[in-house]
Amino acid sequence: MLDNYLFPDVKGKFGIYGGKYVPETLISALIELESVYNVLKNDCEFISEYNLLQKEYNGRPTPLTFAERLTSYYGKAKIYLKREDLCHTGAHKLNNAIGQILLAKRLGKKRIIAETGAGQHGVAVATVCAKFGLQCIVYMGETDIERQKMNVFRMKLLGAEVRPVSSGSKTLKDATNEAIRDWVTNVEDTYYIIGSVVGPHPYPLIVRDFQSIIGIETKEQIMAAENKLPDYILACVGGGSNSIGIFYPFINDENVSLIGIEAAGFGIDTEKHCATLTLGEPGIFQGMNSYLLQDDNGNITEVYSISAGLDYPGVGPEHSHLKDTGRVKYFYVSDDEALKGVRLLTSLEGILPALESAHAVAYLEKMMPSTNKDEIVIVNISGRGDKDLSTIISRINGEIK
Amino acid sequence: MSYIKSYIENLNKNNKKALSVFLTSGFPDKENFISIAKNILDAGADMLELGIPFSDPLADGPVIQASSKIALDNGVNINTVLSYAESLAKYTNKPIILMGYANPIKKYGVKNFLNDAGSLGIKGLIVPDVPLEEYDSFFENMNGNLDIILLTTPTSSNERIKSIDNTSKGFVYCVSVTGITGIKNNFDSDSIKNLERSYSIIEKNKMLIGFGISKPENVKEFIPYCDGVIVGSRIIKSFFDKDKLPDTLQIVSKLNEACRF
């Protein structure tokens, strides 16, 4: 049924989603990027450079860890964890930054810009810019700068300029607007490293391809460990790059259930959430047609999650397509449930997940009772939780004796 | 022929380039907007572009962003804009055009929007985040009374400018610089060369230059390479600076004078 999954199409569409909804100024840059990428993705030299960096700089392959005590805790299906938390810089974000910095080099661009929410993508971009000696400017909302001080300092230490964004809600979406405005102005010499599978074509394709290394490794590793494919794969979804990265290589494997978990914040019956696929509707935002949290007049609504990396009112267009076709099922988990997920994984496995990844972990609570002992569940641990300790302390300190 | 095109052509025949003024609808305030817009028309604007405020205006610089935010905080939405445009279209024969980002229009319903706007006497629509590539999927070959106006930029190839000229109706909006809206002090020789290039390629449509224009000197400089100019941020900024309508009207009237040749 899914043997012919060939998205995006030549127009950059995943079904009706995706596209290039950007000002005319950027079209020539997007066309150039697309044509260069289409050549390089089959270029042996480019691929080996990418693979070498993934191995020797990023520390790949990341392990697939059998979660023995977590498995016993539920007493149902076997649970494995894909360990993107062990990537250099602490999350899957570097997989993409490595790929795109190589593209920027091939395009001859000397100036790199990026947007960041929690700071993980900003850190990943600042890291590869330091490694390759390129100028790096990271746009970050003032609200995020305030709540992610460590990452701001870290980016500066890496030599990046962090430009505060004071427009709108002063978070990720506004940082993205500002990065796009910079790109429109400096398109001749600037490469924009988008951090997720969002934005205009070909970015959702490029970021998916660079993140697919997660799923490709997972498939090999689970075959080696169990000699069969998993029954379920769980991943959190904000913009959706870690989830597409692990899902995509399994998309034609119909018997593997793919499950994306959105952030419900204080609950989907409140205004404080960012469950875009659960509660949004299709719209046009930041270059793409995709599900979107918007008001009755088509303005983008302010969103919330305890996890800054999921705090985005849009979602990658491929997820919108996968939702509509039913290939991926999307559910949601609240702040409180995610915090329980943090404690569960940390205390049973000695792995402190990022708050983002904890949303996927927390869904086990809902899902595991209906699984069987002969089944296999894989959870993508997209990042480590060190960056979140101050948030976690402020929310659960009183509960820890 | 398109109403907008023939209107510009008539001005040109009388040795006048068209002066199109962009206003963020409902800015600086909701109640006085119509009267301000009428004054601006009377002071010498040949056309009005009414901006539909949007939460995330990514082609706009700080001035128009700030005005959009105030308009949204004033409770302006797409229906308010349509009602302003309707009143203004009744007041004047000068073309009233709307400029808005894709999402509020999509949310309203593209087909309904084109029909409603057309029936209210609005003549044209500019959607800066719907380029040629998305024209068909966004507008779905709907033919309303509205001219859909496309933009060219310094990064558009000659071939692209031709395609844009073929698809655009009313006029082609030639963006003067690679960048967002906002006031520029001067335009370098590359910008001028690019305007000359675009003007020589565009045959089917009239061409208006926008982005960065703030002074009569800019207009004088552009006269050989266009059929009109669009001024936005300079006018909007005047409300932030002094909030005195006479100053704004004086800017409009000086720009109007500069359009004569």
Side-chain angles (χ1 to χ4, degrees):
Chain A
M1 176 180 89
L2 288 160
D3 285 350
N4 295 319
Y5 186 89
L6 292 169
F7 295 103
D9 65 18
V10 287
K11 291 182 169 177
K13 301 274 168 96
F14 302 86
I16 60 168
Y17 300 106
K20 286 181 192 157
Y21 290 91
V22 292
E24 171 67 19
T25 307
L26 295 179
I27 292 289
S28 63
L30 292 172
I31 291 171
E32 184 192 21
L33 178 59
E34 188 180 359
S35 70
V36 168
Y37 178 67
N38 281 335
V39 173
L40 289 180
K41 73 176 178 189
N42 299 312
D43 178 294
C44 296
E45 204 183 307
F46 181 84
I47 295 166
S48 58
E49 198 177 0
Y50 168 81
N51 285 336
L52 190 70
L53 281 165
Q54 294 294 3
K55 181 172 173 234
E56 297 189 347
Y57 190 65
N58 197 9
R60 303 203 71 92
T62 58
L64 183 71
T65 306
F66 174 53
E68 194 173 353
R69 292 189 67 213
L70 191 62
T71 299
S72 321
Y73 173 81
Y74 288 111
K76 293 281 191 172
K78 285 175 94 169
I79 301 169
Y80 281 87
L81 309 171
K82 179 58 176 167
R83 303 291 307 282
E84 295 301 296
D85 58 307
L86 294 177
C87 285
H88 177 41
T89 74
H92 72 292
K93 292 292 183 189
L94 198 69
N95 302 336
N96 167 50
I98 285 174
Q100 289 204 57
I101 202 79
L102 294 178
L103 280 179
K105 256 179 61 184
R106 296 295 183 106
L107 286 160
K109 307 284 185 184
K110 303 278 184 240
R111 182 175 178 271
I112 305 296
I113 58 170
E115 82 295 340
T116 199
Q120 289 306 106
H121 174 57
V123 165
V125 173
T127 298
V128 291
C129 286
K131 178 156 177 64
F132 288 96
L134 294 169
Q135 184 191 0
C136 179
I137 294 157
V138 179
Y139 288 92
M140 189 169 187
E142 284 180 347
T143 306
D144 290 332
I145 286 179
E146 192 50 43
R147 60 183 174 179
Q148 301 288 339
K149 285 187 183 132
M150 297 287 270
N151 273 342
V152 175
F153 181 75
R154 193 169 168 192
M155 285 185 272
K156 288 179 179 170
L157 200 57
L158 287 158
E161 179 192 344
V162 179
R163 289 197 183 161
V165 175
S166 60
S167 56
S169 56
K170 303 177 180 138
T171 59
L172 177 58
K173 86 172 171 74
D174 310 286
T176 307
N177 288 338
E178 216 46 48
I180 294 173
R181 290 182 186 118
D182 179 314
W183 197 34
V184 171
T185 308
N186 302 296
V187 63
E188 299 291 344
D189 69 344
T190 298
Y191 185 94
Y192 177 22
I193 301 189
I194 291 186
S196 190
V197 285
V198 298
H201 178 68
Y203 280 106
L205 162 73
I206 290 175
V207 179
R208 176 192 77 192
D209 287 357
F210 289 142
Q211 291 293 0
S212 292
I213 196 166
I214 306 172
I216 292 167
E217 286 175 7
T218 302
K219 205 172 209 178
E220 286 172 11
Q221 290 165 325
I222 198 67
M223 288 306 290
E226 296 282 349
N227 200 29
K228 63 172 187 170
L229 292 177
D231 297 280
Y232 304 91
I233 300 178
L234 285 178
C236 64
V237 181
S241 70
N242 88 82
S243 48
I244 282 287
I246 196 164
F247 292 164
Y248 183 65
F250 291 91
I251 233 157
N252 289 327
D253 300 312
E254 281 178 62
N255 295 326
V256 181
S257 297
L258 305 175
I259 299 168
I261 305 300
E262 298 194 296
F266 287 120
I268 59 160
D269 48 354
T270 71
E271 287 183 355
K272 299 232 173 226
H273 66 80
C274 45
T276 308
L277 289 160
T278 306
L279 292 176
E281 59 181 317
I284 294 166
F285 178 57
Q286 294 183 338
M288 59 186 173
N289 181 29
S290 196
Y291 277 81
L292 188 57
L293 290 167
Q294 54 183 313
D295 68 15
D296 293 342
N297 296 307
N299 290 304
I300 312 309
T301 47
E302 293 198 3
V303 294
Y304 162 83
S305 166
I306 187 172
S307 129
L310 302 179
D311 198 350
Y312 183 65
V315 67
E318 190 160 18
H319 284 290
S320 294
H321 176 66
L322 292 169
K323 173 193 160 81
D324 284 6
T325 60
R327 177 63 189 97
V328 180
K329 303 286 184 215
Y330 296 89
F331 301 99
Y332 52 85
V333 151
S334 71
D335 282 4
D336 288 341
E337 290 167 322
L339 286 164
K340 279 183 199 154
V342 168
R343 294 180 70 173
L344 190 69
L345 195 67
T346 311
S347 60
L348 290 182
E349 296 293 339
I351 296 169
L352 171 64
L355 280 169
E356 291 79 7
S357 325
H359 285 72
V361 173
Y363 191 70
L364 291 171
E365 196 73 19
K366 296 179 181 171
M367 194 189 87
M368 289 310 287
S370 61
T371 63
N372 301 318
K373 282 198 169 194
D374 58 353
E375 290 182 318
I376 297 167
V377 178
I378 297 176
V379 184
N380 195 22
I381 307 300
S382 55
R384 69 181 86 125
D386 308 45
K387 70 179 173 66
D388 297 317
L389 278 172
S390 63
T391 308
I392 296 168
I393 289 166
S394 69
R395 290 284 288 260
I396 66 175
N397 196 23
E399 298 165 31
I400 305 275
K401 297 281 182 268
Chain B
M1 201 207 288
S2 139
Y3 183 88
I4 302 174
K5 185 177 178 184
S6 60
Y7 195 88
I8 299 171
E9 206 153 86
N10 278 333
L11 289 168
N12 293 166
K13 276 182 198 153
N14 293 308
N15 299 327
K16 171 89 175 48
K17 302 292 181 182
L19 173 65
S20 182
V21 172
F22 171 90
L23 297 174
T24 300
S25 302
F27 171 85
D29 64 82
K30 215 174 161 182
E31 287 68 32
N32 300 315
F33 180 74
I34 299 258
S35 117
I36 289 169
K38 285 178 180 171
N39 277 300
I40 285 173
L41 284 163
D42 296 344
D46 297 309
M47 299 160 55
L48 270 192
E49 275 172 40
L50 300 185
I52 305 167
F54 178 50
S55 55
D56 295 79
L58 55 74
D60 285 304
V63 173
I64 295 179
Q65 281 179 52
S67 68
S68 286
K69 171 97 173 46
I70 290 169
L72 289 173
D73 291 347
N74 288 345
V76 174
N77 60 38
I78 198 163
N79 293 302
T80 329
V81 179
L82 286 173
S83 75
Y84 287 151
E86 182 184 18
S87 312
L88 292 167
K90 282 182 184 152
Y91 176 74
T92 182
N93 290 326
K94 296 175 176 180
I96 305 294
I97 296 167
L98 300 182
M99 181 158 185
Y101 290 87
N103 199 51
I105 296 168
K106 183 179 159 79
K107 177 77 184 174
Y108 187 98
V110 178
K111 191 177 179 183
N112 289 343
F113 185 75
L114 296 180
N115 288 338
D116 292 354
S119 69
L120 297 175
I122 295 159
K123 303 297 186 201
L125 174 66
I126 304 166
V127 188
D129 53 349
V130 177
L132 205 52
E133 277 73 5
E134 302 301 340
Y135 185 93
D136 289 338
S137 49
F138 189 78
F139 292 110
E140 294 174 9
N141 299 319
M142 287 178 253
N143 287 313
N145 300 324
L146 233 53
D147 288 344
I148 308 295
I149 296 149
L150 293 175
L151 299 93
T152 65
T153 68
T155 61
S156 314
S157 66
N158 292 355
E159 204 181 314
R160 240 187 114 76
I161 295 177
K162 270 182 203 156
S163 310
I164 289 168
D165 186 30
N166 277 327
T167 308
S168 190
K169 291 201 180 112
F171 64 89
V172 167
Y173 189 137
C174 177
V175 176
S176 63
V177 290
T178 53
I180 51 179
T181 59
I183 297 161
K184 258 182 96 72
N185 281 323
N186 48 48
F187 292 85
D188 59 17
S189 60
D190 283 352
S191 308
I192 304 290
K193 267 185 209 151
N194 178 62
L195 298 173
E196 200 175 350
R197 172 182 74 108
S198 309
Y199 198 49
S200 71
I201 299 169
I202 290 165
E203 291 175 336
K204 197 181 133 243
N205 279 288
K206 293 284 167 184
M207 185 185 107
L208 268 58
I209 302 173
F211 281 40
I213 301 170
S214 64
K215 295 180 288 201
E217 295 90 296
N218 303 142
V219 178
K220 291 272 183 224
E221 201 173 10
F222 290 169
I223 276 179
Y225 317 116
C226 71
D227 304 304
V229 295
I230 302 161
V231 182
S233 295
R234 180 66 192 95
I235 307 294
I236 307 276
K237 185 171 176 285
S238 70
F239 290 105
F240 283 114
D241 288 347
K242 289 187 176 157
D243 199 20
K244 276 194 213 139
L245 189 59
D247 294 322
T248 307
L249 299 179
Q250 199 180 17
I251 296 167
V252 174
S253 127
K254 284 192 174 154
L255 289 165
N256 176 294
E257 278 166 35
C259 283
R260 297 191 185 281
F261 61 95

